[in-house]
Amino acid sequence: MSYLMKVLPLVRLVLFIVSTVGTWEFLRRKTGVSKYFIPALAAGLQSLAVILLGGLGLLVPAAYAVLAFGLVAAGLIVWRDKDLSILEPYTDGAFTLVFVFTAAFAVFCWESRFGHWDSFVHWGIVVKNMFQTGRLPNAADTFLTHWAYPLGSAAYLYYWVQTVMYSEPVMMIAQAFLMTAAILPLYGIAREHKKAGLVVLVLAIDFFFAFLNYPTELLVDMLLALSFGMTLVYLYRYAREAENTKALYLAAVPLTMLMQIKSSGTLFCVIAVLFLLGWAKQYGKLKQRLIVAAVPFASLGLWKLYLSFAFAGAKSAKHGMSVAGFREVFGEKSQRTVGIITEKFVKFAVTRRDFWLVFAFLLLLGLCIFLFAKRLRKLWAKCAVFSAGLYFVYSVGLLGMFLFSMPEGEALNLAGGERYINTVVAVLAYLLFALLLRTVAECETRRFLRMGLCLVSVGFTFLMLNKGHAIGTSAFRAIYNEDRIWLNLIVKENGLTERDAGGYTLLTPEKFDRNMLQYVFMTDRCSVKKIDTAETTLTPGQCYGTILVRDPEDPEIKAWVAQYFPGSVGKSVIVNDAR
């Protein structure tokens, strides 16, 4: 039996891989879309299917239905082809790089565990809850404080853990694969210049994972940026002239994912839709474009409808997107506070070094285009104007978020500002990579090919150094949270259970993240009590049923335990009989 339990995850992994390839090839053959877009499009479809069916109460069946679809598709394709040619499209250098990177990332992160606040408060805990309950979140999940956040990435991660195995590293790998799938389409822009495309693809993967502060966490800011960049490239190729109607309709998938990855993705979706509809005057197919444009907004409406039923009567979600919430948060800020926040943000956005480095590199690339690839001068000018405009519009939207969505304390500190602004900088970098490869593809001389590769290598090496990470090592960084390591050990050694009605209180001489307790024990009945003085007024009646002691030998904590639980001095876990 133990041998079977060890082999079962491997069997499930093989079935998952076969299903994935089957889904990819089915989409490629049915739509005629470039194979380099297929992994991202397939992931989007799978995620949306899980959300849609999950909203109908069929979350677990949805995951296995998606898996079964791919297996059936793979079986039928192999049966019809009478060989294994189904694998052939996915054996070139670009796909090999993605597979090798994903495998290397898996080896690197396999012993990692979440250590970041955002993973504890939403992105990790919501997937864990979906896996444990077999349903989408609802009002019964009182420990979910950000329940209004969309589940685009969470649904895809859930699909992995439900059909392969549940573990935090599996979620990390799934998220990393989502991001590399969004980067992969860059390779196709190089056309016959495959070596150039492969070099830039390597640089792009390393750059974006370096720009991501926490590669082993589930924050979606970088995923959103890459998805938007990929969406713009897809629309330019398949929705501008719209010669392939199936590919045009398929554009609804990345557009909808922008809405479903993060609430702020609405801005990116609106910008992409404006491009989609704007091309109708020159290239026609207005009716089809309107249908595609309606899908993401319909998905947003359905999500809001689900929330209105599932969380009826629940407490307001933190950072929720509603007019009432905006009015309430903004009303808490004085006119002076608004002025301070605005002044600090403007200075922050205008002096952002990463933006100016990317823009300077864009200007340098423009010089090369004007000298060696004059046919692309108009495209470069449009990209430059769009980049500057996007940065301005996004910055205004970000300022609005600080003013209307964030509590005063967080807004005054521009909490998360660097991470949020890096989202738009990453979008600009993605477009810069795309423009570079388009220039290489259009240029007939090898001299410019070599120059372009040197240019992108030197330019983005400086950007990488600016972020403080070295080429080749930046993607492999994890948070080593000592508190999380200690907590996992205490849980394992003492057989502590999740969702315990008695709750947990942690005594600590230092700061400790309460959200970590909430994530580990899956309950809002948890608290952190900092004891750093002998004059503490804390009593056992103010603690939950199980008391955890972060440092049993700390003098103040030891004195407190000796006073109320003399038989438990030196222990890390105390049963609170006084509760």
Side-chain angles (χ1 to χ4, degrees):
M1 181 61 70
S2 60
Y3 174 76
L4 181 62
M5 294 303 293
K6 291 180 180 179
V7 172
L8 186 58
L10 181 60
V11 173
R12 292 164 70 98
L13 177 61
V14 171
L15 292 175
F16 180 86
I17 293 173
V18 172
S19 174
T20 299
V21 174
T23 302
W24 289 356
E25 190 62 2
F26 175 86
L27 277 176
R28 189 184 73 84
R29 295 188 183 192
K30 290 295 182 180
T31 64
V33 171
S34 166
K35 63 182 181 181
Y36 302 112
F37 287 101
I38 292 298
L41 295 174
L45 282 170
Q46 291 165 338
S47 177
L48 296 175
V50 168
I51 295 173
L52 181 61
L53 293 176
L56 299 174
L58 301 171
L59 184 63
V60 177
Y64 287 107
V66 169
L67 180 73
F69 175 85
L71 291 172
V72 171
L76 289 175
I77 291 171
V78 171
W79 180 71
R80 289 173 181 173
D81 292 351
K82 308 299 182 184
D83 56 29
L84 294 178
S85 58
I86 184 176
L87 300 174
E88 186 177 343
Y90 313 107
T91 57
D92 65 7
F95 277 94
T96 300
L97 174 62
V98 169
F99 298 148
V100 169
F101 175 82
T102 304
F105 188 85
V107 172
F108 157 75
C109 76
W110 195 250
E111 298 298 326
S112 298
R113 296 296 181 268
F114 298 141
H116 191 271
W117 184 87
D118 282 63
S119 295
F120 296 141
V121 81
H122 180 71
W123 306 111
I125 198 171
V126 73
V127 178
K128 184 178 181 180
N129 186 62
M130 289 163 64
F131 178 79
Q132 291 182 347
T133 63
R135 57 167 172 75
L136 294 185
N138 62 32
D141 307 317
T142 54
F143 48 84
L144 295 181
T145 55
H146 295 66
W147 49 261
Y149 282 10
L151 300 176
S153 63
Y156 186 70
L157 271 54
Y158 166 77
Y159 169 58
W160 275 58
V161 299
Q162 183 64 52
T163 56
V164 181
M165 65 176 290
Y166 178 84
S167 77
E168 292 179 19
V170 169
M171 289 189 246
M172 299 173 191
I173 297 164
Q175 180 104 328
F177 180 77
L178 264 181
M179 291 190 289
T180 51
I183 300 171
L184 180 60
L186 289 172
Y187 181 79
I189 301 174
R191 299 179 185 174
E192 70 273 10
H193 300 279
K194 300 302 181 185
K195 291 181 180 179
L198 196 60
V199 169
V200 173
L201 186 61
V202 171
L203 289 169
I205 291 175
D206 193 79
F207 169 75
F208 288 118
F209 274 81
F211 222 59
L212 182 67
N213 290 329
Y214 311 108
T216 56
E217 301 296 327
L218 303 183
L219 291 82
V220 297
D221 307 275
M222 184 57 66
L223 175 61
L224 178 63
L226 296 174
S227 297
F228 182 45
M230 185 273 294
T231 300
L232 291 177
V233 172
Y234 183 89
L235 291 178
Y236 187 82
R237 179 165 179 177
Y238 291 109
R240 188 167 62 104
E241 299 180 10
E243 295 176 350
N244 182 339
T245 304
K246 290 182 180 179
L248 173 61
Y249 281 125
L250 201 57
V253 175
L255 288 172
T256 304
M257 282 300 289
L258 291 177
M259 284 281 200
Q260 294 298 327
I261 289 175
K262 192 176 182 181
S263 299
S264 57
T266 302
L267 173 63
F268 290 151
C269 184
V270 169
I271 293 172
V273 165
L274 290 176
F275 277 111
L276 174 71
L277 298 179
W279 287 319
K281 184 176 181 180
Q282 183 176 357
Y283 299 106
K285 295 192 176 181
L286 178 62
K287 180 180 178 181
Q288 292 90 332
R289 294 176 190 272
L290 287 172
I291 293 173
V292 172
V295 173
F297 296 97
S299 77
L300 181 62
L302 289 174
W303 176 242
K304 295 292 185 183
L305 181 64
Y306 172 78
L307 292 179
S308 67
F309 285 103
F311 288 91
K315 293 181 179 179
S316 298
K318 289 187 178 180
H319 299 175
M321 304 286 283
S322 67
V323 175
F326 292 154
R327 188 181 296 115
E328 179 183 353
V329 173
F330 184 73
E332 296 173 351
K333 299 180 177 71
S334 66
Q335 185 174 354
R336 179 175 178 274
T337 300
V338 170
I340 293 173
I341 294 171
T342 302
E343 182 180 352
K344 288 180 68 174
F345 179 81
V346 170
K347 182 178 180 181
F348 168 77
V350 171
T351 60
R352 192 66 191 160
R353 185 170 54 171
D354 294 322
F355 166 73
W356 290 111
L357 281 170
V358 171
F359 203 73
F361 188 31
L362 177 63
L363 294 177
L364 188 58
L365 179 59
L367 177 62
C368 295
I369 288 174
F370 272 72
L371 293 175
F372 303 106
K374 296 181 179 180
R375 288 179 297 179
L376 296 179
R377 286 182 296 181
K378 187 176 292 187
L379 178 62
W380 175 86
K382 291 180 179 179
C383 285
V385 172
F386 175 75
S387 297
L390 178 63
Y391 188 79
F392 174 77
V393 171
Y394 184 87
S395 297
V396 171
L398 190 54
L399 174 60
M401 183 195 73
F402 283 118
L403 294 176
F404 292 93
S405 180
M406 275 199 177
E408 182 175 316
E410 294 181 30
L412 282 169
N413 292 322
L414 301 182
E418 180 178 350
R419 178 158 55 88
Y420 297 139
I421 204 73
N422 278 351
T423 300
V424 70
V425 173
V427 173
L428 302 184
Y430 191 103
L431 297 180
L432 189 55
F433 276 122
L435 182 60
L436 171 72
L437 287 171
R438 175 65 189 277
T439 305
V440 170
E442 291 290 330
C443 189
E444 298 177 357
T445 64
R446 285 189 172 273
R447 183 176 63 171
F448 181 79
L449 178 59
R450 290 193 295 270
M451 182 182 298
L453 290 176
C454 291
L455 188 63
V456 74
S457 300
V458 173
F460 276 95
T461 297
F462 276 110
L463 275 175
M464 300 284 281
L465 292 175
N466 180 54
K467 296 299 294 181
H469 306 302
I471 288 284
T473 63
S474 52
F476 301 103
R477 289 172 289 108
I479 295 178
Y480 293 99
N481 190 314
E482 292 184 1
D483 287 339
R484 180 70 198 282
I485 295 171
W486 170 83
L487 186 57
N488 284 356
L489 184 62
I490 292 300
V491 169
K492 184 177 180 179
E493 289 180 346
N494 295 273
L496 302 180
T497 59
E498 297 176 350
R499 303 177 191 267
D500 189 325
Y504 292 88
T505 292
L506 184 135
L507 306 183
T508 176
E510 304 290 343
K511 184 178 179 181
F512 195 101
D513 187 359
R514 177 188 174 276
N515 295 292
M516 185 190 299
L517 290 180
Q518 192 163 275
Y519 171 82
V520 170
F521 295 115
M522 299 298 285
T523 177
D524 57 354
R525 292 178 61 79
C526 55
S527 61
V528 174
K529 303 296 183 181
K530 186 178 179 182
I531 300 180
D532 53 4
T533 173
E535 285 77 34
T536 178
T537 58
L538 179 69
T539 65
Q542 297 171 287
C543 301
Y544 286 109
T546 300
I547 298 176
L548 308 178
V549 184
R550 179 64 178 95
D551 185 359
E553 298 304 320
D554 179 81
E556 281 74 23
I557 292 180
K558 196 171 185 178
W560 187 90
V561 174
Q563 179 181 355
Y564 293 106
F565 303 96
S568 298
V569 175
K571 293 183 178 180
S572 297
V573 178
I574 302 171
V575 177
N576 184 9
D577 298 321
R579 182 67 178 178

